[in-house]
Amino acid sequence: MTRHNSLSDYASKRFRLAGKAVLDFGNPFFAPIDSLGAEAERRGDHFVSFANYDYLGLASHPRVKAVAADALDQLGVGALASRLVGGERSTHQLLEEEVAAFLGTESSLALVSGYLTNLTTITHLMAGRDALFIDELSHNSIASAAKSSGSEVVVFRHNDLDHLDDLLAANRENYRNALIVVEALYSMDGDIVDLPRIVEIKERHQAWLLVDEAHSLGVLGATGRGISELAGIDPNRIDLIIGTMSKTLASCGGFIAAKRSITEWMRYSLPGFVYSVGLSPVITAAARAALQLMQEESWRIDRLTKNAELFRQCAQEADLDTGPAIGRGVVPILFGSSQETMLASHYLLEQGFYCPPIVQIGVPKDQPRLRFFISATHTEDDIRRVIAALGTRPAAAAEAPEQVASAAL
């Protein structure tokens, strides 16, 4: 007779198979960073987070907090319903107009989650006679959408556009619609897509192109307008630009920027928009203020660029492996094993630096890393000290891999 596990037993087994054993080397996740920072300040010590993607340092800007507080007083906490069936606040469309104007697109549509934005957009667009062409290192929101879309999924090697071109040449005519999905700035590796080449490929093969700008808004381009500004490409040659408000814009939510005909159709049909509550007025106000500030205080983009370049330079001078990172926003440091990565993260926390490890989820298992998010608010001293701390970390015990292997059995 088949043994039927309880949900609790099933969850425990799946957790173990997913790599729970690495927590035997300490659990650096879900740290209460506000409490840790306050405790360090009381002791007269420093606490520096490299784990938060507040790229331009706007999350605690007095103006952002003030307009959020004012929105709370004037409009309340929540939107209280789907915008389609419950109506919206005037600030919703103002945010969408300002995002579109900043990016140089005709229109935009704001949703309550960046992850949801990729998931609902891709699954809404693609069906059984269509094909999705995605980078092998695509974010989970893209990979999950691909699995759920019902379309054929074709994976090309990371940033290998010759491979993508060959796959389209061989397969494009087999499908009604073809959507290419890439990230502007890859969130685990810190490298970028070759936008001019991929636009040329998509136009030649009569495909659509979705570019995820989650980590590139405020990071790439002289004024932070993203990969299209950096590459000198008209953003209207990109069919769909996906972004988030949770990074540079210091709040929460996602958006789609595209031609008006596309966003107007989605306003009445996109499941993740129609069946989800609208953005909180507090979030909308904070995002609008951050968007305005990044244009007024453009020095933040320059400082972020210099900080990220300095971090990458110092890491490489210390013989640390930064992979393919270009030195913008996200810079990983790769290690030889999950155990070494966990121990390095724990050691940094002891030294006052918070940078959780990426060891089992989101990256290949043979490429564990510490992923450093660089901010305009980091100082040169912060950067040099964290690299110096990595250079003095104790070596991982030789028996550590065996300990983890036996614990996982």
Side-chain angles (χ1 to χ4, degrees), residues 273-318:
F273 177 81
V274 171
Y275 297 103
S276 289
V277 70
L279 279 172
S280 161
V282 178
I283 294 298
T284 305
R288 290 184 64 209
L291 183 62
Q292 292 161 7
L293 280 164
M294 69 179 286
Q295 296 171 74
E296 295 171 13
E297 300 181 359
S298 57
W299 56 266
R300 293 176 180 272
I301 299 167
D302 295 333
R303 183 172 294 174
L304 168 63
T305 299
K306 291 175 182 176
N307 282 350
E309 289 178 344
L310 176 65
F311 182 94
R312 178 171 172 265
Q313 175 190 335
C314 290
Q316 292 178 347
E317 288 174 353

Side-chain angles (χ1 to χ4, degrees), residues 3-17 20:
R3 179 176 180 270
H4 300 289
N5 292 324
S6 69
L7 178 56
S8 178
D9 289 341
Y10 176 74
S12 296
K13 180 181 178 181
R14 290 292 299 270
F15 192 12
R16 177 169 55 83
L17 293 175
K20 179 185 177 184

Side-chain angles (χ1 to χ4, degrees), residues 102-125:
F102 179 73
L103 293 176
T105 61
E106 290 183 6
S107 181
S108 79
L109 186 66
L111 288 81
V112 295
S113 160
Y115 187 99
L116 171 71
T117 303
N118 270 333
L119 188 65
T120 192
T121 301
I122 293 170
T123 56
H124 189 51
L125 284 174

Side-chain angles (χ1 to χ4, degrees), residues 70-142:
D70 184 62
L72 177 63
D73 288 339
Q74 299 296 321
L75 300 173
V77 177
L80 306 179
S82 162
R83 290 164 59 186
L84 178 66
V85 299
E88 61 184 22
R89 310 303 173 89
S90 58
T91 53
H92 285 126
Q93 289 197 27
L94 288 173
L95 172 64
E96 291 167 348
E97 290 167 3
E98 289 162 6
V99 167
F102 179 73
L103 293 176
T105 61
E106 290 183 6
S107 181
S108 79
L109 186 66
L111 288 81
V112 295
S113 160
Y115 187 99
L116 171 71
T117 303
N118 270 333
L119 188 65
T120 192
T121 301
I122 293 170
T123 56
H124 189 51
L125 284 174
M126 310 306 288
R129 294 170 54 202
D130 303 329
L132 269 166
F133 292 79
I134 67 173
D135 189 288
E136 66 178 339
L137 296 187
S138 292
H139 188 267
N140 180 265
S141 59
I142 296 168

Side-chain angles (χ1 to χ4, degrees), residues 15-64:
F15 192 12
R16 177 169 55 83
L17 293 175
K20 179 185 177 184
V22 297
L23 299 181
D24 293 342
F25 292 85
N27 188 345
F29 307 107
F30 304 105
I33 57 173
D34 52 344
S35 300
L36 290 173
E39 290 170 8
E41 187 175 336
R42 282 195 295 270
R43 296 192 306 267
D45 296 333
H46 66 275
F47 178 81
V48 181
S49 174
F50 284 96
N52 305 111
Y53 26 62
D54 182 18
Y55 290 122
L56 298 184
L58 296 173
S60 295
H61 195 289
R63 199 161 101 197
V64 172

Side-chain angles (χ1 to χ4, degrees), residues 96 100 105-111 117 120-122 124-126 177-179 202 207-211 235-242 255-271 273-274:
E96 291 167 348
T105 61
E106 290 183 6
S107 181
S108 79
L109 186 66
L111 288 81
T117 303
T120 192
T121 301
I122 293 170
H124 189 51
L125 284 174
M126 310 306 288
N177 301 312
L179 175 66
K202 83 100 177 177
W208 302 334
L209 175 62
L210 183 156
V211 176
N236 292 292
R237 294 175 70 185
I238 303 170
D239 298 282
L240 294 160
I241 295 174
I242 302 295
F255 64 81
I256 304 161
K259 293 187 181 302
R260 191 173 304 280
S261 58
I262 297 171
T263 59
E264 283 305 296
W265 166 55
M266 290 183 171
R267 195 177 295 275
Y268 291 91
S269 63
L270 187 66
F273 177 81
V274 171

